[in-house]
């Protein structure tokens, strides 16, 4: 009974003495755990069942067994087996991935709760959209969500009805694994947790079942998971061969699949959001792996400034409770605060935070597949005010440790939410109510999308995206006078007296991130109006709420930019980084733009590129010019990336018998020839360095800032070439995405010198202001006078000159540069080139310092690419016709 002492003050959580134990399974749990302090009383045994198979009976091994990982499809099969054998489990499909694999969720609760699941969902809808509480007594129907209602006098009646519902409602708690394919533990753990929740009779589990509904998704990136399991099996079967790298995770992007929470362009984000809106689970908890041993999300701040402070309190309440329960049980290295900031709403768990639920995540220590061994973790093992019981610098670690630690803490969280269900459900109601009151309380009242928008397609795309987020869009039926001016009929209105006003506000508002705040974990700015290049007017005039308008949903026919392109496009990827180019593929696929997806080897192996392609597009991907040109080192045996009968999930979206090598010098020559013969080469960010460093272009250099800090935000660029076809339909300025950490700053002119200089470096230190002339002491000012017969000051040598690079977009002056996000030392970016066109022979190289296709957020910049592609053979000035 000595373990019982671990349960100080939480006796109800102990598992001893309730039902039969599966002794064999439990023995293996202990065997696979490397140290006693990585095991708790919550998971040190597994209950047995006469009817429901344990994971071991179904899979042939215990969850967390060394050297074995389970395919996503098998995880789902096991949950379906549980559904067959237990009335407490129901499995629902979430839909399919880009490559056609299924994502699932198991819904687990008491038999009675599962029978009443639709009624419980209806309660969630009433609490999540309190406007509909007016209709509550007229039958508990699903929320229709169409009745604006922020009149404060209504609320006493609604509050009373809400309290009646809260008495009967249950919190839903949704935990998800496998968002990040190489993070291998959570999918395994979820299978054991599902079994435990279905069969265990401990008071703790019974309370979770009785007073909550648990939703479990073992794998979100099902495509990536199958590749990872294949690679792990290959590694174990071929210990002497070099490891095959995980070239692709999901079909489009790697870890950025957790940055799609606003734009909902990947199948997994669409599935999460749709299912969240259908069930409204109070908690959405995404399970990740990285730092030791268990990090529980709260973050360093600055916290997202658009969510309700009640939510931030909830993050802390849950996190500190879990840290405390784990610490009491003697588990070291469980901590919160630190790690990430809590600012950007792009993460998957924002599906709950953006809709008045509670979004959170764990980072559990990773073991590298299912390996066991010594692992060091110096960076996160220091004692700090938020980490009084830190991880050890070195530890013997196993995947079973990962399963134990994560599962114990997760059960603690689920128990708290079930045990204090009324508090949490009341908070859910309050957050929803305060989102509706927002329009007349803190404001704004609404965002207006004017009817005379210059880019109606992009406007419609943004409104459609807001609707996918569950936001209602209205249309003015009459011209309406507000403080900001008169808005025409048919202008769109996003009212802030609706339950998901905060999601709309955080996407449409302007963001300011103070450079003195802790280092940002991701982008600091994402304001969708500028990034879509459409007008969004934030109004505090509450008159808009009483203006004549109707609900609208009519954006289905929108096609978006890129229609009617016939140029032959090659989209080039490296074999070293396929993440950022994935967003290009995704954008082009969704807009229906045809292209051929090729690797750098196509450039190496194709002598006549011009015969095959009109445009070669090289998206950013990390690495220097040298690493792109050289590629993976040509050492050892060929390294294939393709499916075999033994490893059917390898390969794809591109496939190769040997991924070693890069563009190579041959490829650079092929590229130069391609451009000289009239092709258009488009480079973005780091790939600009290939034509610059290898001399395909002249007069452009990469500027390396000394102090600039601009880690991903919206920056103002100025149109400096209005007559250029690439800028057709653009105005004087454009809000563009730039990130100094993943892109490069271009400098046109000045001889192509790398480093500082080449431009205006100010004046010598001396008397007066920045603009005063310098004065040398001890001599009068001097201005030379020219006499007849002198040679002219600038001599025309008649030497032929290369065409100069043209700066098409330039970063604005330092005081105007920042639109949304963060910038420090803006002087280093101000005035630099954002988009440069270099004529080379009959063709052109287009160099982007901004990223025109980033995370499906930069729709307003897409036409920079599409205009260039459409006009690839019309970009050069016609030579002056000399008639003799
Ligand atoms: Zn992760």
């Amino acid at each position: 009974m000595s373990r019982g002492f671990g349960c100080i003050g939480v006796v109800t959580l102990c598992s001893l003495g309730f039902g039969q134990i599966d002794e064999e399974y439990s023995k293996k749990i202990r065997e696979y755990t490397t140290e006693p302090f990585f095991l708790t009383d919550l998971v040190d045994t597994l209950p047995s069942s006469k009817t429901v198979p344990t994971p071991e009976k179904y899979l042939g091994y215990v969850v967390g067994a060394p050297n074995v990982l389970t395919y996503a499809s098998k995880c789902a099969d096991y949950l379906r087996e549980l559904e067959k054998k237990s009335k407490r489990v129901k499995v629902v499909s979430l839909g399919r991935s880009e490559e056609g694999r299924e994502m699932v969720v198991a819904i687990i609760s008491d038999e009675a709760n599962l029978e009443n699941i639709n009624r419980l969902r209806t309660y969630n809808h009433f609490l999540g959209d309190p406007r509909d509480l007016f209709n509550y007594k007229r039958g508990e129907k699903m929320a229709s969500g169409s009745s604006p209602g922020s009149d404060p006098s209504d609320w006493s009646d609604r509050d009373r009805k809400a309290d009646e519902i809260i008495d009967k409602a249950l919190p839903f708690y949704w935990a998800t694994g496998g968002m990040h394919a190489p993070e291998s533990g959570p999918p395994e753990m979820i299978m054991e947790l599902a079994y435990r929740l279905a069969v265990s009779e401990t008071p703790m589990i019974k309370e979770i079942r009785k007073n909550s509904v648990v939703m479990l998704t073992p794998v979100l990136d099902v495509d990536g998971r199958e590749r990872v399991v294949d690679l792990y099996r290959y590694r174990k079967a071929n210990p002497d061969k070099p490891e095959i790298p995980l070239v692709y995770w999901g079909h489009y992007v790697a870890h950025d699949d957790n940055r799609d929470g606003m734009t909902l362009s990947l199948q997994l984000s669409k599935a999460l959001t749709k299912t969240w809106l259908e069930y409204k689970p109070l908690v959405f908890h995404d399970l990740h792996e990285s730092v030791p041993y268990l990090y529980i999300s709260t973050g360093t701040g600055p916290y997202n400034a658009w969510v309700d402070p009640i939510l931030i309190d909830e993050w802390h309440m849950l996190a500190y409770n879990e840290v405390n329960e784990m610490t009491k049980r003697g588990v070291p290295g469980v901590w919160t605060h630190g790690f990430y900031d809590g600012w950007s709403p792009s993460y998957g768990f924002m599906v709950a935070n953006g809709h008045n639920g509670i979004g959170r995540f764990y980072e559990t220590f990773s073991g590298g597949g299912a390996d066991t061994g010594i692992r060091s973790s110096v960076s996160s093992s220091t004692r700090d005010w938020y980490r009084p019981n830190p991880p050890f610098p070195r530890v013997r670690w196993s995947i079973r440790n990962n399963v134990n630690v994560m599962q114990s803490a997760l059960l603690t969280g689920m128990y708290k939410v079930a045990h204090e269900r009324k508090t949490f459900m009341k908070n859910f109601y309050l957050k929803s109510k305060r989102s509706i009151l927002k329009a007349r309380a803190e404001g704004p009242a609404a965002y207006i999308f004017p009817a005379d928008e210059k880019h109606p397609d992009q406007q419609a795309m943004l409104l459609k995206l807001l609707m996918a987020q569950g936001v209602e869009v209205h249309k003015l039926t009459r011209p309406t006078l507000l403080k900001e001016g008169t808005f025409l009929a048919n202008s769109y209105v996003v009212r802030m007296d609706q339950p998901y006003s905060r999601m709309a506000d955080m996407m449409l508002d302007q963001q300011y991130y103070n450079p003195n705040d802790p280092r940002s974990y991701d982008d600091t700015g994402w304001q969708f109006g500028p990034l879509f290049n459409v007008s969004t007017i934030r109004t505090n005039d509450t008159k808009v709420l009483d203006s004549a308008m109707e609900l609208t949903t009519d954006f289905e026919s929108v096609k978006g930019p890129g229609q009617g392109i016939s140029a032959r496009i090659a989209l080039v990827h490296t074999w070293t980084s396929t993440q950022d180019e994935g967003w290009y593929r995704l954008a082009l696929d969704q807009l229906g733009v045809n292209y051929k997806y090729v690797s750098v080897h196509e450039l190496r192996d194709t002598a006549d590129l011009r015969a095959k392609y009109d445009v070669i597009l090289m998206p950013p991907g990390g690495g220097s010019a040298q690493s792109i040109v050289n590629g993976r080192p040509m050492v050892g045996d060929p390294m294939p990336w393709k499916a075999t009968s033994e490893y059917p999930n390898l390969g794809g979206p591109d496939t190769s018998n040997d991924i070693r090598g890069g563009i190579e010098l041959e490829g650079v020559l092929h590229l130069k020839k391609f451009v000289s013969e009239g092709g258009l080469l488009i480079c973005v960010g780091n790939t600009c360095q290939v034509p610059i460093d290898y001399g395909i272009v002249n007069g452009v250099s990469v500027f390396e800032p000394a102090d600039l800090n601009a880690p991903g935000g919206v920056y103002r660029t100025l149109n400096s070439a209005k007559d250029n076809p690439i800028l057709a339909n653009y105005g004087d300025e454009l809000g563009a995405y730039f990130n100094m950490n993943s892109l490069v700053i271009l400098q046109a002119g000045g001889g192509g010198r790398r480093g500082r200089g080449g431009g205006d470096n100010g004046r010598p230190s001396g008397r007066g202001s920045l603009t005063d002339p310098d004065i040398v002491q001890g001599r009068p000012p001097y201005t030379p006078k020219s006499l007849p017969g002198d040679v002219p000051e600038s001599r025309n040598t008649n030497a032929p000159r290369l065409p100069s690079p043209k700066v098409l977009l330039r970063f604005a002056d330092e005081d105007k540069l920042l639109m949304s996000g963060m910038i420090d030392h803006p002087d280093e970016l101000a005035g630099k080139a954002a988009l440069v066109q270099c004529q080379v022979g009959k063709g052109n190289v287009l160099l982007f310092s901004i990223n025109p296709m980033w995370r499906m957020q930069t729709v307003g910049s897409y036409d920079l690419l599409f205009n260039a592609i459409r006009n690839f053979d019309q970009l050069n000035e016609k030579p002056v016709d000399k008639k003799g």
Side-chain angles (χ1 to χ4, degrees):
M1 286 294 285
S2 65
R3 284 226 157 261
F5 289 113
C7 313
I8 305 157
V10 278
V11 183
T12 52
L13 305 191
C14 288
S15 61
L16 292 182
F18 299 97
Q20 291 293 305
I21 297 298
D22 184 328
E23 294 296 349
E24 278 303 301
Y25 194 109
S26 306
K27 202 173 130 232
K28 285 180 190 143
I29 292 177
R30 288 189 294 276
E31 184 189 328
Y32 300 152
T33 302
T34 62
E35 305 288 352
F37 48 73
F38 289 133
L39 195 54
T40 75
D41 56 300
L42 305 179
V43 299
D44 62 353
T45 59
L46 193 79
S48 66
S49 163
K50 290 197 178 71
T51 50
V52 185
T54 65
E56 187 182 24
K57 280 196 188 116
Y58 188 78
L59 303 166
Y61 49 88
V62 164
V63 162
N67 306 320
V68 55
L69 292 178
T70 313
Y71 287 105
S73 57
K74 197 82 180 168
C75 297
D77 288 347
Y78 177 62
L79 296 180
R80 290 219 151 97
E81 184 67 16
L82 292 181
E83 180 185 33
K84 269 186 224 153
K85 301 289 164 59
S86 168
K87 289 202 168 100
R88 294 166 175 170
V89 182
K90 191 171 159 36
V91 178
V92 175
S93 177
L94 293 176
R96 296 201 172 257
S97 70
E98 281 78 4
E99 295 179 4
R101 300 182 178 94
E102 194 182 25
M103 301 165 272
V104 299
V105 58
I107 302 171
I108 307 177
S109 193
D110 264 357
E111 294 88 325
N113 292 338
L114 281 192
E115 274 167 29
N116 272 325
I117 194 82
N118 285 335
R119 180 167 294 260
L120 292 170
R121 281 171 63 186
T122 307
Y123 296 150
N124 284 351
H125 283 282
F126 279 119
L127 297 176
D129 188 355
R131 294 173 304 179
D132 283 315
L133 283 169
F134 275 140
N135 305 324
Y136 171 54
K137 280 299 174 197
R138 283 188 259 134
E140 296 175 350
K141 283 212 187 105
M142 217 68 105
S144 64
S146 59
S147 46
S150 57
D151 180 353
S153 63
D154 300 333
W155 286 95
S156 62
D157 186 35
R158 291 184 202 192
D159 288 347
R160 208 175 50 249
K161 285 172 178 164
D163 282 340
E164 281 174 36
I165 292 175
I166 289 165
D167 268 343
K168 302 178 284 189
L170 296 182
F172 287 36
Y173 196 120
W174 190 4
T176 52
M179 166 80 85
H180 286 158
E183 299 166 13
S184 52
E188 309 288 337
M189 184 281 288
I190 281 176
M191 289 189 285
E192 184 174 293
L193 177 61
Y195 173 82
R196 191 181 295 284
L197 287 169
V199 308
S200 172
E201 295 299 335
T202 65
M204 178 190 196
I205 302 287
K206 278 162 84 173
E207 168 123 26
I208 293 173
R209 268 202 310 263
K210 180 164 177 281
N211 284 330
S212 73
V213 176
V214 172
M215 299 168 70
L216 296 176
T217 293
V219 183
L220 285 170
D221 178 6
V222 283
D223 298 332
R225 172 76 180 185
E226 307 309 55
R227 289 191 176 103
V228 163
V229 178
D230 267 2
L231 284 181
Y232 188 69
R233 288 181 47 238
Y234 175 87
R235 172 153 76 83
K236 289 288 153 183
N238 299 280
D240 300 328
K241 289 195 186 157
E243 276 182 47
I244 298 176
L246 183 62
V247 178
Y248 296 91
W249 298 18
H251 187 75
Y252 287 112
V253 293
H255 45 82
D256 253 20
D257 65 357
N258 195 26
R259 301 296 189 278
D260 189 42
M262 285 187 285
T263 37
L264 309 179
S265 48
L266 299 168
Q267 290 301 104
L268 68 88
S269 326
K270 286 179 188 160
L272 286 185
T273 305
K274 187 168 166 286
T275 307
W276 198 94
L277 293 172
E278 281 170 14
Y279 285 81
K280 294 191 170 62
L282 176 78
V283 185
F284 181 87
H285 192 152
D286 204 22
L287 302 168
H288 289 258
E289 285 180 2
S290 60
V291 290
Y293 298 121
L294 178 65
Y295 167 77
I296 300 173
S297 64
T298 48
T300 59
Y303 288 139
N304 186 288
W306 294 265
V307 297
D308 194 313
I310 294 173
L311 168 65
I312 291 166
D313 302 337
E314 289 172 324
W315 291 343
H316 285 268
M317 281 187 333
L318 289 168
Y320 277 103
N321 173 59
E322 286 150 37
V323 170
N324 189 240
E325 288 298 333
M326 296 295 281
T327 304
K328 281 193 291 193
R329 287 175 162 79
V331 182
V334 179
W335 52 288
T336 185
H337 198 77
F339 186 71
Y340 106 121
D341 51 34
W343 170 252
S344 162
S346 65
Y347 307 100
F349 57 83
M350 283 304 293
V351 69
N353 289 330
H355 299 97
N356 301 318
I358 304 170
R360 50 196 316 246
F361 68 95
Y362 281 171
E363 300 284 342
T364 315
F365 202 28
S366 165
D371 293 354
T372 306
I374 304 282
R375 290 212 55 205
S376 55
S377 53
V378 180
S379 65
S380 300
S381 62
T382 49
R383 195 167 50 78
D384 215 319
W385 68 264
Y386 55 85
R387 196 164 48 210
N389 182 12
F392 298 101
R394 296 173 75 238
V395 71
R396 184 161 180 270
W397 189 255
S398 70
I399 191 172
R400 184 64 221 188
N401 294 1
N402 176 300
V403 168
N404 292 343
V405 170
M406 185 175 18
Q407 189 176 188
S408 301
L410 186 55
L411 280 169
T412 306
M414 287 175 170
Y415 175 77
K416 184 177 175 71
V417 170
H419 192 62
E420 298 171 28
R421 65 181 177 91
K422 287 191 190 177
T423 306
F424 283 103
M425 293 309 272
K426 179 89 179 192
N427 282 358
F428 180 43
Y429 168 68
L430 276 176
K431 286 184 286 180
S432 307
K433 171 181 167 181
R434 285 153 56 116
S435 295
I436 294 164
L437 294 177
K438 171 183 173 62
R440 294 181 200 270
E442 70 269 29
Y447 286 87
I448 317 277
F449 291 61
D452 52 357
E453 169 62 49
K454 284 195 198 73
H455 304 104
D457 265 24
Q458 287 157 215
Q459 181 190 61
M461 284 171 80
L462 180 49
L463 290 167
K464 202 170 152 182
L465 173 56
L466 289 165
M467 284 176 46
Q469 289 284 6
V471 174
E472 293 162 9
V473 176
H474 287 79
K475 196 150 86 170
L476 291 178
T477 51
R478 276 202 294 272
T480 300
L481 175 66
L482 299 174
K483 279 180 193 142
E484 289 77 9
T486 300
F487 294 95
L488 302 175
N490 296 326
S491 292
Y492 295 103
V493 181
V494 175
R495 306 173 61 107
M496 288 292 114
D497 58 349
Q498 57 171 311
Y500 305 143
S501 60
R502 296 187 194 282
M503 190 75 218
D505 199 23
M506 69 179 82
M507 288 169 68
L508 298 174
D509 207 354
Q510 183 176 13
Q511 297 93 32
Y512 174 76
Y513 193 109
N514 188 315
N516 297 318
D517 269 327
R519 194 179 74 89
S520 69
Y521 191 76
D522 202 85
D523 283 345
T524 55
W526 52 82
Q527 192 183 352
F528 277 77
L531 286 181
F532 274 60
N533 201 15
V534 299
S535 174
T536 58
I537 289 125
R538 183 182 190 271
T539 179
N540 279 312
D541 190 343
T542 53
K543 250 194 351 234
V544 68
L545 301 170
D546 302 318
S547 305
M549 63 176 81
E550 60 192 19
L551 195 67
T552 180
T553 57
D554 186 27
F555 304 107
E556 279 314 311
S557 57
V558 181
K559 290 210 175 78
Q563 304 307 308
I565 283 181
S566 57
R568 300 166 301 163
I569 305 168
L571 176 62
V572 182
H573 71 87
T574 67
W575 286 108
T576 46
S577 171
T578 60
Q579 159 113 325
D580 291 353
E581 60 89 0
W583 291 118
Y584 281 69
R585 258 188 299 138
L586 179 55
L588 297 180
D589 285 352
Q590 293 200 352
L591 294 168
V593 178
N594 288 323
Y595 63 94
K596 191 161 175 228
Y597 185 49
V598 300
S599 85
V600 283
H601 294 165
E602 172 83 351
L603 308 181
R604 178 193 64 191
D605 301 337
T606 312
D608 192 356
L609 288 165
R610 187 67 191 91
K612 286 175 84 173
Y613 306 113
D614 302 317
V615 178
I616 293 176
L617 172 56
M618 295 180 68
S624 62
Q626 202 179 74
S627 71
I628 298 169
V629 169
N630 291 342
R632 289 188 181 275
M634 291 295 290
V635 292
D637 294 329
M639 190 177 279
W641 175 257
K642 62 175 189 182
T644 65
S645 54
E646 182 66 11
Y647 305 105
N649 303 294
L650 297 186
D654 199 2
T655 291
S656 172
N657 289 321
D658 188 5
I659 62 175
R660 299 172 310 157
I663 297 179
E664 314 292 342
L665 288 174
E666 297 96 296
V668 174
L669 292 174
H670 297 160
L671 273 178
K672 181 156 190 173
K673 183 164 167 281
F674 165 79
V675 180
S676 305
E677 291 173 357
L680 172 63
L681 170 64
I682 303 177
C683 298
V684 183
N686 70 315
T687 63
C688 292
Q689 296 170 115
V690 173
I692 291 174
D693 288 7
Y694 285 82
I696 295 177
V697 295
N698 262 295
V700 188
S701 60
V702 171
F703 172 81
E704 280 169 10
D707 301 309
L708 174 72
N709 193 0
V714 189
Y715 302 93
R716 184 174 278 107
T717 62
L718 306 177
N719 184 345
S720 47
K722 281 188 196 144
D723 297 334
N724 194 301
I726 296 172
L727 285 154
N729 300 322
Y730 282 94
D732 293 339
E733 59 177 60
L734 173 68
Y737 175 82
F738 173 77
N739 183 340
M740 63 171 289
N741 299 316
S742 58
L743 298 164
V744 297
I745 302 171
L746 297 170
Q747 191 160 249
R753 207 148 46 86
R754 181 176 278 270
R756 304 192 72 179
D760 177 15
N761 275 333
R763 52 157 291 187
S765 303
R767 71 146 302 279
S769 73
L770 179 70
T771 50
D772 282 332
D774 193 43
I775 291 182
V776 178
Q777 300 299 302
R779 71 181 201 202
Y782 164 72
T783 310
K785 270 201 190 98
S786 155
L787 294 175
D790 287 0
V791 292
E793 195 175 346
S794 337
R795 212 150 56 86
N796 181 4
T797 62
N798 293 324
R801 291 169 61 115
L802 288 167
S804 304
K806 286 183 220 156
V807 176
L808 307 187
L809 281 179
R810 197 180 277 289
F811 287 105
D813 289 347
E814 58 182 284
D815 57 330
K816 299 270 169 55
L817 188 51
L818 180 67
M819 294 184 88
S820 262
M822 191 245 271
I823 195 161
D824 202 9
H825 295 282
D827 53 299
E828 290 191 289
L829 188 60
K832 294 289 188 304
L835 174 58
V836 182
Q837 179 191 346
C838 305
Q839 187 181 336
V840 177
K842 290 184 192 158
N844 280 277
V845 178
L846 201 57
L847 303 170
F848 280 89
S849 180
I850 56 171
N851 190 344
M853 275 190 178
W854 176 241
R855 294 179 176 169
M856 308 296 281
Q857 294 175 10
T858 57
V859 171
S861 308
Y862 287 0
D863 266 337
L864 296 173
L865 282 175
F866 294 141
N867 287 342
I869 292 171
R870 265 195 204 97
N871 295 288
F872 80 94
D873 54 356
Q874 302 292 322
L875 296 175
N876 292 335
E877 282 156 27
K878 303 272 181 299
V880 182
D881 200 11
K882 279 190 191 166
K883 281 186 183 146

